[in-house]
Amino acid sequence: VLLKLGNALEIRQDGRMPPATARARARAEITREIVDAGKRQLAEVGAAGLSLRAVAREVGMVSSAVYRYFPSREQLITTLIVDAYDGLGAAVEHAEAPVDRDDLRGRWRAAGGAVRAWALAHPHEYALIYGSPVPGYRAPEDTIAPATRAALVLIELLVDAQAQGRLVQDPPTTVADAALRADLELLRDTFRGVPDALILRALVGWSALFGLVSFELFGQFQNVIAANAAFFAVTLNELATFIGIDAAG
Amino acid sequence: VLLKLGNALEIRQDGRMPPATARARARAEITREIVDAGKRQLAEVGAAGLSLRAVAREVGMVSSAVYRYFPSREQLITTLIVDAYDGLGAAVEHAEAPVDRDDLRGRWRAAGGAVRAWALAHPHEYALIYGSPVPGYRAPEDTIAPATRAALVLIELLVDAQAQGRLVQDPPTTVADAALRADLELLRDTFRGVPDALILRALVGWSALFGLVSFELFGQFQNVIAANAAFFAVTLNELATFIGIDAAG
DNA sequence: TGTACATCAGTGAACGCGCGTTCACTGATGTAC
DNA sequence: TGTACATCAGTGAACGCGCGTTCACTGATGTAC
């Protein structure tokens, strides 16, 4: 019995092969269908307007049946959030991975471009995770880890650059504030070897990236910029310099 | 009759002295009350959840009475949006105006700091204008002009800097894309004399500013940065350099 | 100045709607022996 | 392998709720003569 249980757990952990019983298989499939319907709902009415009843209708079940899969609307939204972070993270990883490891700027451009491309392709999922918080919804902890996935690509890039001695610290910033220095202390483990000033720049650059994408997506550039793709491409280059990736790279 | 009408219009235009009749005075006052109640609703449930009935309740009238003042929920939201842009614009102007005109960095810090301070003080109004679009709501044109008010402060600052020859173009960017050059052509009238490359940087810097504020406000910096004010202060300085305001200034 | 009429603010009832969630139920699938 | 029982997915009705908007109405305020 213990052996069997152990096996079942393993199978579920790696998540590759379908679970044993037909019931479990169906459950996984229908859960997937509900989440997909949720995403389509998201695209139509946004997170605030997302309703379990509409999702149920789209999946073709009665509204109460959804409760066999998600205990509440809140839980469905949490799943959608985690899914969105994961989708963005995967997109960034897949765009950056094939670039020559030594082409630092190329890697940055690939990662940044993937953020924008994913956002344009999934505007409501983007709005869900980077727009205004959903009213009445409080994100649980399960949400934190997936949120960092995309950022890790940038961090790896900077760590590589630093290791190669190709991270440029143009006007070296000094951090006077003690509290901020404490924050940086904690970040040093993650940014192995990257100097404080450039950790700060990385945070600014990362925020700037999402600021630009949000401005474009939420219409703030209307009547200002029409050539959005070209503008973003130029911008990525400027930001690369800003965060310290040397031009030669 | 025409003269009287003319007078009435003038009085309403400068908006200083209260309109003549008691009825008109009451109307203006109650309109204000409704808008204020709308803002409070906004702070409680967000734009998506804002309901005319709740607003009516708070003002102490029956829900249908609100329709004497706003023809629909949509119109109320439009008013709130315009109000928010105006509030932010005024805050930025008032923060930047008293700074010595020659202290370019000081002006930028004042303007940027005002954006953050206003956003922290009015998080839901900020979310209304810079967060995800309100589902089912399409912003009318009345919204465009107020939206630019805050940005004009930055533009004036850059125009001044350029006039004084104190705008630094560090690694001069060249814009190859024709469509983007066309965009810049149109922006040149507004950015009198500021070189193209720095117009682009200004747009990036402005987006970055709001990206940072959004990240802080929407919780993206949770578990990353705790000393938000200090971080923002350092950041403003870095962005000043980025957009070309010389360090001496 | 006083009167007759028009305008307007606010009421209360009603319309039709969709929502999240609970609950007792039926019938199918899975498990233990 | 076959049977008895337990688990589970899905149903349909119901709960109590709040929403935006319309409409005929009353009574107060403003206007023209």
Side-chain angles (χ1 to χ4, degrees), chain B residues 23 27 30 53 61-62 64-65 68-69:
Chain B
R23 207 184 244 172
R27 176 164 247 281
I30 292 176
R53 292 185 103 113
M61 6 162 82
V62 100
S64 52
R68 297 279 170 220
Y69 298 87

PDB file of all heavy atoms in Angstrom, chain B residues 23 27 30 53 61-62 64-65 68-69, chain C residues 6-15:
ATOM      1  N   ARG B  23     -30.905  77.609  -6.937  1.00  0.00           N
ATOM      2  CA  ARG B  23     -30.993  76.275  -7.540  1.00  0.00           C
ATOM      3  C   ARG B  23     -29.659  75.879  -8.159  1.00  0.00           C
ATOM      4  O   ARG B  23     -29.159  74.777  -7.932  1.00  0.00           O
ATOM      5  CB  ARG B  23     -32.066  76.301  -8.623  1.00  0.00           C
ATOM      6  CG  ARG B  23     -32.703  74.960  -8.855  1.00  0.00           C
ATOM      7  CD  ARG B  23     -33.668  75.030 -10.000  1.00  0.00           C
ATOM      8  NE  ARG B  23     -35.040  74.783  -9.616  1.00  0.00           N
ATOM      9  CZ  ARG B  23     -36.067  74.949 -10.435  1.00  0.00           C
ATOM     10  NH1 ARG B  23     -35.884  75.421 -11.655  1.00  0.00           N
ATOM     11  NH2 ARG B  23     -37.282  74.675 -10.027  1.00  0.00           N
ATOM     12  N   ARG B  27     -27.159  72.903  -7.173  1.00  0.00           N
ATOM     13  CA  ARG B  27     -26.784  71.889  -8.175  1.00  0.00           C
ATOM     14  C   ARG B  27     -25.270  71.688  -8.204  1.00  0.00           C
ATOM     15  O   ARG B  27     -24.778  70.551  -8.187  1.00  0.00           O
ATOM     16  CB  ARG B  27     -27.289  72.332  -9.551  1.00  0.00           C
ATOM     17  CG  ARG B  27     -26.885  71.417 -10.674  1.00  0.00           C
ATOM     18  CD  ARG B  27     -27.709  71.664 -11.931  1.00  0.00           C
ATOM     19  NE  ARG B  27     -28.568  70.533 -12.234  1.00  0.00           N
ATOM     20  CZ  ARG B  27     -28.138  69.420 -12.822  1.00  0.00           C
ATOM     21  NH1 ARG B  27     -26.883  69.274 -13.142  1.00  0.00           N
ATOM     22  NH2 ARG B  27     -28.970  68.428 -13.066  1.00  0.00           N
ATOM     23  N   ILE B  30     -24.161  69.862  -5.012  1.00  0.00           N
ATOM     24  CA  ILE B  30     -24.515  68.446  -4.947  1.00  0.00           C
ATOM     25  C   ILE B  30     -23.745  67.640  -5.974  1.00  0.00           C
ATOM     26  O   ILE B  30     -23.324  66.502  -5.706  1.00  0.00           O
ATOM     27  CB  ILE B  30     -26.036  68.282  -5.118  1.00  0.00           C
ATOM     28  CG1 ILE B  30     -26.720  68.870  -3.874  1.00  0.00           C
ATOM     29  CG2 ILE B  30     -26.418  66.824  -5.283  1.00  0.00           C
ATOM     30  CD1 ILE B  30     -28.207  68.859  -3.938  1.00  0.00           C
ATOM     31  N   ARG B  53     -25.666  53.250  -7.297  1.00  0.00           N
ATOM     32  CA  ARG B  53     -26.539  53.083  -6.145  1.00  0.00           C
ATOM     33  C   ARG B  53     -25.773  53.326  -4.847  1.00  0.00           C
ATOM     34  O   ARG B  53     -26.282  53.959  -3.925  1.00  0.00           O
ATOM     35  CB  ARG B  53     -27.148  51.680  -6.154  1.00  0.00           C
ATOM     36  CG  ARG B  53     -28.126  51.471  -7.284  1.00  0.00           C
ATOM     37  CD  ARG B  53     -28.806  50.107  -7.195  1.00  0.00           C
ATOM     38  NE  ARG B  53     -30.162  50.234  -6.687  1.00  0.00           N
ATOM     39  CZ  ARG B  53     -31.259  49.990  -7.407  1.00  0.00           C
ATOM     40  NH1 ARG B  53     -31.163  49.582  -8.650  1.00  0.00           N
ATOM     41  NH2 ARG B  53     -32.445  50.137  -6.879  1.00  0.00           N
ATOM     42  N   MET B  61     -29.330  60.190  -1.197  1.00  0.00           N
ATOM     43  CA  MET B  61     -30.495  60.294  -2.069  1.00  0.00           C
ATOM     44  C   MET B  61     -30.857  58.910  -2.579  1.00  0.00           C
ATOM     45  O   MET B  61     -30.123  57.946  -2.403  1.00  0.00           O
ATOM     46  CB  MET B  61     -30.264  61.225  -3.254  1.00  0.00           C
ATOM     47  CG  MET B  61     -28.885  61.785  -3.438  1.00  0.00           C
ATOM     48  SD  MET B  61     -28.607  62.435  -5.103  1.00  0.00           S
ATOM     49  CE  MET B  61     -29.321  64.047  -4.991  1.00  0.00           C
ATOM     50  N   VAL B  62     -31.989  58.904  -3.227  1.00  0.00           N
ATOM     51  CA  VAL B  62     -32.447  57.674  -3.848  1.00  0.00           C
ATOM     52  C   VAL B  62     -31.667  57.500  -5.152  1.00  0.00           C
ATOM     53  O   VAL B  62     -31.242  58.475  -5.757  1.00  0.00           O
ATOM     54  CB  VAL B  62     -33.973  57.806  -4.042  1.00  0.00           C
ATOM     55  CG1 VAL B  62     -34.302  58.177  -5.456  1.00  0.00           C
ATOM     56  CG2 VAL B  62     -34.686  56.598  -3.521  1.00  0.00           C
ATOM     57  N   SER B  64     -32.211  56.839  -8.208  1.00  0.00           N
ATOM     58  CA  SER B  64     -32.628  57.478  -9.455  1.00  0.00           C
ATOM     59  C   SER B  64     -32.328  58.976  -9.465  1.00  0.00           C
ATOM     60  O   SER B  64     -32.221  59.578 -10.531  1.00  0.00           O
ATOM     61  CB  SER B  64     -34.113  57.242  -9.696  1.00  0.00           C
ATOM     62  OG  SER B  64     -34.859  57.612  -8.555  1.00  0.00           O
ATOM     63  N   ALA B  65     -32.177  59.564  -8.307  1.00  0.00           N
ATOM     64  CA  ALA B  65     -31.932  61.007  -8.254  1.00  0.00           C
ATOM     65  C   ALA B  65     -30.577  61.383  -8.858  1.00  0.00           C
ATOM     66  O   ALA B  65     -30.406  62.468  -9.407  1.00  0.00           O
ATOM     67  CB  ALA B  65     -32.015  61.492  -6.816  1.00  0.00           C
ATOM     68  N   ARG B  68     -30.258  62.877 -12.258  1.00  0.00           N
ATOM     69  CA  ARG B  68     -30.442  64.308 -12.532  1.00  0.00           C
ATOM     70  C   ARG B  68     -29.091  64.991 -12.733  1.00  0.00           C
ATOM     71  O   ARG B  68     -29.020  66.080 -13.279  1.00  0.00           O
ATOM     72  CB  ARG B  68     -31.162  64.978 -11.356  1.00  0.00           C
ATOM     73  CG  ARG B  68     -32.543  64.481 -11.090  1.00  0.00           C
ATOM     74  CD  ARG B  68     -33.573  65.109 -12.009  1.00  0.00           C
ATOM     75  NE  ARG B  68     -34.858  64.421 -11.879  1.00  0.00           N
ATOM     76  CZ  ARG B  68     -35.647  64.142 -12.906  1.00  0.00           C
ATOM     77  NH1 ARG B  68     -35.308  64.492 -14.130  1.00  0.00           N
ATOM     78  NH2 ARG B  68     -36.782  63.521 -12.705  1.00  0.00           N
ATOM     79  N   TYR B  69     -28.027  64.324 -12.263  1.00  0.00           N
ATOM     80  CA  TYR B  69     -26.704  64.941 -12.314  1.00  0.00           C
ATOM     81  C   TYR B  69     -25.767  64.265 -13.306  1.00  0.00           C
ATOM     82  O   TYR B  69     -24.952  64.921 -13.938  1.00  0.00           O
ATOM     83  CB  TYR B  69     -26.079  64.944 -10.913  1.00  0.00           C
ATOM     84  CG  TYR B  69     -26.894  65.750  -9.929  1.00  0.00           C
ATOM     85  CD1 TYR B  69     -27.942  65.177  -9.215  1.00  0.00           C
ATOM     86  CD2 TYR B  69     -26.647  67.103  -9.755  1.00  0.00           C
ATOM     87  CE1 TYR B  69     -28.711  65.929  -8.333  1.00  0.00           C
ATOM     88  CE2 TYR B  69     -27.405  67.857  -8.885  1.00  0.00           C
ATOM     89  CZ  TYR B  69     -28.435  67.266  -8.180  1.00  0.00           C
ATOM     90  OH  TYR B  69     -29.194  68.016  -7.333  1.00  0.00           O
TER      91      TYR B  69
ATOM     92  P    DA C   6     -46.894  76.331 -19.248  1.00  0.00           P
ATOM     93  OP1  DA C   6     -46.858  76.215 -20.725  1.00  0.00           O
ATOM     94  OP2  DA C   6     -47.592  75.315 -18.439  1.00  0.00           O
ATOM     95  O5'  DA C   6     -45.405  76.468 -18.743  1.00  0.00           O
ATOM     96  C5'  DA C   6     -44.595  77.539 -19.234  1.00  0.00           C
ATOM     97  C4'  DA C   6     -43.164  77.325 -18.810  1.00  0.00           C
ATOM     98  O4'  DA C   6     -43.069  77.432 -17.376  1.00  0.00           O
ATOM     99  C3'  DA C   6     -42.607  75.944 -19.164  1.00  0.00           C
ATOM    100  O3'  DA C   6     -41.244  76.117 -19.543  1.00  0.00           O
ATOM    101  C2'  DA C   6     -42.762  75.149 -17.872  1.00  0.00           C
ATOM    102  C1'  DA C   6     -42.562  76.231 -16.819  1.00  0.00           C
ATOM    103  N9   DA C   6     -43.288  75.998 -15.569  1.00  0.00           N
ATOM    104  C8   DA C   6     -44.579  75.566 -15.429  1.00  0.00           C
ATOM    105  N7   DA C   6     -44.975  75.478 -14.175  1.00  0.00           N
ATOM    106  C5   DA C   6     -43.856  75.880 -13.448  1.00  0.00           C
ATOM    107  C6   DA C   6     -43.623  76.002 -12.067  1.00  0.00           C
ATOM    108  N6   DA C   6     -44.545  75.737 -11.141  1.00  0.00           N
ATOM    109  N1   DA C   6     -42.412  76.431 -11.685  1.00  0.00           N
ATOM    110  C2   DA C   6     -41.497  76.713 -12.614  1.00  0.00           C
ATOM    111  N3   DA C   6     -41.593  76.638 -13.951  1.00  0.00           N
ATOM    112  C4   DA C   6     -42.811  76.201 -14.298  1.00  0.00           C
ATOM    113  P    DT C   7     -40.363  74.874 -19.981  1.00  0.00           P
ATOM    114  OP1  DT C   7     -39.463  75.326 -21.040  1.00  0.00           O
ATOM    115  OP2  DT C   7     -41.253  73.712 -20.160  1.00  0.00           O
ATOM    116  O5'  DT C   7     -39.492  74.642 -18.675  1.00  0.00           O
ATOM    117  C5'  DT C   7     -38.564  75.653 -18.288  1.00  0.00           C
ATOM    118  C4'  DT C   7     -37.976  75.281 -16.941  1.00  0.00           C
ATOM    119  O4'  DT C   7     -39.034  75.084 -15.989  1.00  0.00           O
ATOM    120  C3'  DT C   7     -37.177  73.972 -16.962  1.00  0.00           C
ATOM    121  O3'  DT C   7     -35.863  74.285 -16.513  1.00  0.00           O
ATOM    122  C2'  DT C   7     -37.927  73.061 -15.985  1.00  0.00           C
ATOM    123  C1'  DT C   7     -38.628  74.074 -15.096  1.00  0.00           C
ATOM    124  N1   DT C   7     -39.845  73.611 -14.387  1.00  0.00           N
ATOM    125  C2   DT C   7     -39.880  73.686 -13.023  1.00  0.00           C
ATOM    126  O2   DT C   7     -38.967  74.111 -12.348  1.00  0.00           O
ATOM    127  N3   DT C   7     -41.055  73.242 -12.444  1.00  0.00           N
ATOM    128  C4   DT C   7     -42.170  72.758 -13.108  1.00  0.00           C
ATOM    129  O4   DT C   7     -43.165  72.399 -12.494  1.00  0.00           O
ATOM    130  C5   DT C   7     -42.071  72.716 -14.540  1.00  0.00           C
ATOM    131  C7   DT C   7     -43.214  72.211 -15.351  1.00  0.00           C
ATOM    132  C6   DT C   7     -40.916  73.131 -15.121  1.00  0.00           C
ATOM    133  P    DC C   8     -34.660  73.306 -16.835  1.00  0.00           P
ATOM    134  OP1  DC C   8     -33.469  74.139 -17.043  1.00  0.00           O
ATOM    135  OP2  DC C   8     -35.093  72.316 -17.844  1.00  0.00           O
ATOM    136  O5'  DC C   8     -34.489  72.558 -15.445  1.00  0.00           O
ATOM    137  C5'  DC C   8     -34.329  73.361 -14.267  1.00  0.00           C
ATOM    138  C4'  DC C   8     -34.720  72.568 -13.063  1.00  0.00           C
ATOM    139  O4'  DC C   8     -36.121  72.291 -13.084  1.00  0.00           O
ATOM    140  C3'  DC C   8     -34.064  71.192 -12.964  1.00  0.00           C
ATOM    141  O3'  DC C   8     -33.009  71.305 -12.017  1.00  0.00           O
ATOM    142  C2'  DC C   8     -35.191  70.261 -12.487  1.00  0.00           C
ATOM    143  C1'  DC C   8     -36.328  71.234 -12.180  1.00  0.00           C
ATOM    144  N1   DC C   8     -37.703  70.716 -12.371  1.00  0.00           N
ATOM    145  C2   DC C   8     -38.535  70.598 -11.257  1.00  0.00           C
ATOM    146  O2   DC C   8     -38.105  70.911 -10.142  1.00  0.00           O
ATOM    147  N3   DC C   8     -39.808  70.141 -11.420  1.00  0.00           N
ATOM    148  C4   DC C   8     -40.236  69.822 -12.646  1.00  0.00           C
ATOM    149  N4   DC C   8     -41.498  69.380 -12.750  1.00  0.00           N
ATOM    150  C5   DC C   8     -39.409  69.941 -13.791  1.00  0.00           C
ATOM    151  C6   DC C   8     -38.154  70.390 -13.614  1.00  0.00           C
ATOM    152  P    DA C   9     -32.122  70.057 -11.641  1.00  0.00           P
ATOM    153  OP1  DA C   9     -30.780  70.560 -11.309  1.00  0.00           O
ATOM    154  OP2  DA C   9     -32.316  69.013 -12.649  1.00  0.00           O
ATOM    155  O5'  DA C   9     -32.825  69.601 -10.283  1.00  0.00           O
ATOM    156  C5'  DA C   9     -32.910  70.536  -9.215  1.00  0.00           C
ATOM    157  C4'  DA C   9     -33.318  69.825  -7.941  1.00  0.00           C
ATOM    158  O4'  DA C   9     -34.702  69.415  -8.044  1.00  0.00           O
ATOM    159  C3'  DA C   9     -32.537  68.557  -7.625  1.00  0.00           C
ATOM    160  O3'  DA C   9     -32.444  68.468  -6.204  1.00  0.00           O
ATOM    161  C2'  DA C   9     -33.399  67.447  -8.205  1.00  0.00           C
ATOM    162  C1'  DA C   9     -34.808  67.992  -8.008  1.00  0.00           C
ATOM    163  N9   DA C   9     -35.764  67.652  -9.060  1.00  0.00           N
ATOM    164  C8   DA C   9     -35.546  67.604 -10.410  1.00  0.00           C
ATOM    165  N7   DA C   9     -36.618  67.296 -11.116  1.00  0.00           N
ATOM    166  C5   DA C   9     -37.609  67.136 -10.148  1.00  0.00           C
ATOM    167  C6   DA C   9     -38.974  66.814 -10.240  1.00  0.00           C
ATOM    168  N6   DA C   9     -39.610  66.584 -11.392  1.00  0.00           N
ATOM    169  N1   DA C   9     -39.678  66.741  -9.083  1.00  0.00           N
ATOM    170  C2   DA C   9     -39.044  66.989  -7.935  1.00  0.00           C
ATOM    171  N3   DA C   9     -37.773  67.312  -7.721  1.00  0.00           N
ATOM    172  C4   DA C   9     -37.093  67.367  -8.887  1.00  0.00           C
ATOM    173  P    DG C  10     -31.654  67.266  -5.536  1.00  0.00           P
ATOM    174  OP1  DG C  10     -31.113  67.733  -4.260  1.00  0.00           O
ATOM    175  OP2  DG C  10     -30.766  66.654  -6.551  1.00  0.00           O
ATOM    176  O5'  DG C  10     -32.829  66.245  -5.222  1.00  0.00           O
ATOM    177  C5'  DG C  10     -33.716  66.548  -4.158  1.00  0.00           C
ATOM    178  C4'  DG C  10     -34.807  65.534  -4.159  1.00  0.00           C
ATOM    179  O4'  DG C  10     -35.486  65.573  -5.430  1.00  0.00           O
ATOM    180  C3'  DG C  10     -34.347  64.081  -3.982  1.00  0.00           C
ATOM    181  O3'  DG C  10     -34.930  63.550  -2.796  1.00  0.00           O
ATOM    182  C2'  DG C  10     -34.799  63.386  -5.240  1.00  0.00           C
ATOM    183  C1'  DG C  10     -35.953  64.277  -5.694  1.00  0.00           C
ATOM    184  N9   DG C  10     -36.261  64.134  -7.101  1.00  0.00           N
ATOM    185  C8   DG C  10     -35.414  64.270  -8.178  1.00  0.00           C
ATOM    186  N7   DG C  10     -36.009  64.075  -9.330  1.00  0.00           N
ATOM    187  C5   DG C  10     -37.331  63.790  -8.995  1.00  0.00           C
ATOM    188  C6   DG C  10     -38.449  63.495  -9.821  1.00  0.00           C
ATOM    189  O6   DG C  10     -38.485  63.413 -11.051  1.00  0.00           O
ATOM    190  N1   DG C  10     -39.601  63.279  -9.063  1.00  0.00           N
ATOM    191  C2   DG C  10     -39.661  63.345  -7.695  1.00  0.00           C
ATOM    192  N2   DG C  10     -40.852  63.110  -7.145  1.00  0.00           N
ATOM    193  N3   DG C  10     -38.632  63.623  -6.903  1.00  0.00           N
ATOM    194  C4   DG C  10     -37.503  63.839  -7.624  1.00  0.00           C
ATOM    195  P    DT C  11     -34.834  61.993  -2.450  1.00  0.00           P
ATOM    196  OP1  DT C  11     -34.772  61.907  -0.981  1.00  0.00           O
ATOM    197  OP2  DT C  11     -33.830  61.354  -3.302  1.00  0.00           O
ATOM    198  O5'  DT C  11     -36.280  61.484  -2.911  1.00  0.00           O
ATOM    199  C5'  DT C  11     -37.435  62.120  -2.387  1.00  0.00           C
ATOM    200  C4'  DT C  11     -38.664  61.312  -2.746  1.00  0.00           C
ATOM    201  O4'  DT C  11     -38.881  61.385  -4.180  1.00  0.00           O
ATOM    202  C3'  DT C  11     -38.561  59.828  -2.402  1.00  0.00           C
ATOM    203  O3'  DT C  11     -39.700  59.483  -1.642  1.00  0.00           O
ATOM    204  C2'  DT C  11     -38.515  59.121  -3.758  1.00  0.00           C
ATOM    205  C1'  DT C  11     -39.215  60.115  -4.673  1.00  0.00           C
ATOM    206  N1   DT C  11     -38.757  60.097  -6.086  1.00  0.00           N
ATOM    207  C2   DT C  11     -39.663  59.795  -7.080  1.00  0.00           C
ATOM    208  O2   DT C  11     -40.803  59.490  -6.872  1.00  0.00           O
ATOM    209  N3   DT C  11     -39.141  59.836  -8.355  1.00  0.00           N
ATOM    210  C4   DT C  11     -37.852  60.175  -8.721  1.00  0.00           C
ATOM    211  O4   DT C  11     -37.517  60.183  -9.897  1.00  0.00           O
ATOM    212  C5   DT C  11     -36.964  60.483  -7.637  1.00  0.00           C
ATOM    213  C7   DT C  11     -35.556  60.854  -7.910  1.00  0.00           C
ATOM    214  C6   DT C  11     -37.437  60.435  -6.378  1.00  0.00           C
ATOM    215  P    DG C  12     -39.607  58.261  -0.611  1.00  0.00           P
ATOM    216  OP1  DG C  12     -40.526  58.561   0.508  1.00  0.00           O
ATOM    217  OP2  DG C  12     -38.198  57.935  -0.360  1.00  0.00           O
ATOM    218  O5'  DG C  12     -40.255  57.099  -1.497  1.00  0.00           O
ATOM    219  C5'  DG C  12     -41.537  57.332  -2.043  1.00  0.00           C
ATOM    220  C4'  DG C  12     -41.881  56.250  -3.039  1.00  0.00           C
ATOM    221  O4'  DG C  12     -41.263  56.538  -4.319  1.00  0.00           O
ATOM    222  C3'  DG C  12     -41.384  54.850  -2.648  1.00  0.00           C
ATOM    223  O3'  DG C  12     -42.381  53.938  -3.051  1.00  0.00           O
ATOM    224  C2'  DG C  12     -40.123  54.684  -3.493  1.00  0.00           C
ATOM    225  C1'  DG C  12     -40.575  55.376  -4.764  1.00  0.00           C
ATOM    226  N9   DG C  12     -39.514  55.799  -5.655  1.00  0.00           N
ATOM    227  C8   DG C  12     -38.230  56.139  -5.343  1.00  0.00           C
ATOM    228  N7   DG C  12     -37.520  56.491  -6.382  1.00  0.00           N
ATOM    229  C5   DG C  12     -38.381  56.373  -7.458  1.00  0.00           C
ATOM    230  C6   DG C  12     -38.181  56.614  -8.841  1.00  0.00           C
ATOM    231  O6   DG C  12     -37.159  56.991  -9.402  1.00  0.00           O
ATOM    232  N1   DG C  12     -39.335  56.368  -9.585  1.00  0.00           N
ATOM    233  C2   DG C  12     -40.541  55.940  -9.064  1.00  0.00           C
ATOM    234  N2   DG C  12     -41.527  55.759  -9.924  1.00  0.00           N
ATOM    235  N3   DG C  12     -40.745  55.712  -7.761  1.00  0.00           N
ATOM    236  C4   DG C  12     -39.625  55.948  -7.026  1.00  0.00           C
ATOM    237  P    DA C  13     -42.526  52.510  -2.334  1.00  0.00           P
ATOM    238  OP1  DA C  13     -43.554  52.622  -1.293  1.00  0.00           O
ATOM    239  OP2  DA C  13     -41.189  51.973  -2.008  1.00  0.00           O
ATOM    240  O5'  DA C  13     -43.122  51.685  -3.558  1.00  0.00           O
ATOM    241  C5'  DA C  13     -43.959  52.350  -4.506  1.00  0.00           C
ATOM    242  C4'  DA C  13     -43.683  51.819  -5.896  1.00  0.00           C
ATOM    243  O4'  DA C  13     -42.545  52.487  -6.496  1.00  0.00           O
ATOM    244  C3'  DA C  13     -43.363  50.311  -5.945  1.00  0.00           C
ATOM    245  O3'  DA C  13     -44.279  49.688  -6.825  1.00  0.00           O
ATOM    246  C2'  DA C  13     -41.928  50.260  -6.447  1.00  0.00           C
ATOM    247  C1'  DA C  13     -41.833  51.547  -7.261  1.00  0.00           C
ATOM    248  N9   DA C  13     -40.475  52.035  -7.457  1.00  0.00           N
ATOM    249  C8   DA C  13     -39.519  52.253  -6.490  1.00  0.00           C
ATOM    250  N7   DA C  13     -38.388  52.705  -6.971  1.00  0.00           N
ATOM    251  C5   DA C  13     -38.602  52.785  -8.337  1.00  0.00           C
ATOM    252  C6   DA C  13     -37.777  53.201  -9.410  1.00  0.00           C
ATOM    253  N6   DA C  13     -36.529  53.618  -9.255  1.00  0.00           N
ATOM    254  N1   DA C  13     -38.305  53.160 -10.651  1.00  0.00           N
ATOM    255  C2   DA C  13     -39.574  52.745 -10.799  1.00  0.00           C
ATOM    256  N3   DA C  13     -40.447  52.337  -9.879  1.00  0.00           N
ATOM    257  C4   DA C  13     -39.890  52.386  -8.652  1.00  0.00           C
ATOM    258  P    DA C  14     -44.464  48.097  -6.917  1.00  0.00           P
ATOM    259  OP1  DA C  14     -45.912  47.812  -6.970  1.00  0.00           O
ATOM    260  OP2  DA C  14     -43.600  47.467  -5.888  1.00  0.00           O
ATOM    261  O5'  DA C  14     -43.828  47.786  -8.333  1.00  0.00           O
ATOM    262  C5'  DA C  14     -44.038  48.722  -9.391  1.00  0.00           C
ATOM    263  C4'  DA C  14     -42.980  48.525 -10.448  1.00  0.00           C
ATOM    264  O4'  DA C  14     -41.778  49.225 -10.065  1.00  0.00           O
ATOM    265  C3'  DA C  14     -42.552  47.066 -10.629  1.00  0.00           C
ATOM    266  O3'  DA C  14     -43.173  46.572 -11.815  1.00  0.00           O
ATOM    267  C2'  DA C  14     -41.028  47.136 -10.773  1.00  0.00           C
ATOM    268  C1'  DA C  14     -40.714  48.624 -10.756  1.00  0.00           C
ATOM    269  N9   DA C  14     -39.482  48.979 -10.069  1.00  0.00           N
ATOM    270  C8   DA C  14     -39.190  48.809  -8.738  1.00  0.00           C
ATOM    271  N7   DA C  14     -37.999  49.239  -8.399  1.00  0.00           N
ATOM    272  C5   DA C  14     -37.466  49.716  -9.591  1.00  0.00           C
ATOM    273  C6   DA C  14     -36.233  50.301  -9.909  1.00  0.00           C
ATOM    274  N6   DA C  14     -35.265  50.513  -9.023  1.00  0.00           N
ATOM    275  N1   DA C  14     -36.018  50.676 -11.200  1.00  0.00           N
ATOM    276  C2   DA C  14     -36.998  50.464 -12.088  1.00  0.00           C
ATOM    277  N3   DA C  14     -38.204  49.929 -11.917  1.00  0.00           N
ATOM    278  C4   DA C  14     -38.374  49.577 -10.629  1.00  0.00           C
ATOM    279  P    DC C  15     -42.889  45.079 -12.354  1.00  0.00           P
ATOM    280  OP1  DC C  15     -44.007  44.721 -13.232  1.00  0.00           O
ATOM    281  OP2  DC C  15     -42.529  44.208 -11.219  1.00  0.00           O
ATOM    282  O5'  DC C  15     -41.608  45.312 -13.255  1.00  0.00           O
ATOM    283  C5'  DC C  15     -41.715  46.083 -14.473  1.00  0.00           C
ATOM    284  C4'  DC C  15     -40.410  45.897 -15.258  1.00  0.00           C
ATOM    285  O4'  DC C  15     -39.443  46.830 -14.722  1.00  0.00           O
ATOM    286  C3'  DC C  15     -39.794  44.542 -15.051  1.00  0.00           C
ATOM    287  O3'  DC C  15     -40.340  43.562 -15.955  1.00  0.00           O
ATOM    288  C2'  DC C  15     -38.319  44.800 -15.281  1.00  0.00           C
ATOM    289  C1'  DC C  15     -38.132  46.245 -14.835  1.00  0.00           C
ATOM    290  N1   DC C  15     -37.454  46.355 -13.506  1.00  0.00           N
ATOM    291  C2   DC C  15     -36.183  46.969 -13.484  1.00  0.00           C
ATOM    292  O2   DC C  15     -35.696  47.388 -14.547  1.00  0.00           O
ATOM    293  N3   DC C  15     -35.520  47.093 -12.314  1.00  0.00           N
ATOM    294  C4   DC C  15     -36.075  46.609 -11.193  1.00  0.00           C
ATOM    295  N4   DC C  15     -35.387  46.767 -10.058  1.00  0.00           N
ATOM    296  C5   DC C  15     -37.348  45.963 -11.194  1.00  0.00           C
ATOM    297  C6   DC C  15     -37.993  45.860 -12.362  1.00  0.00           C
TER     298       DC C  15
END
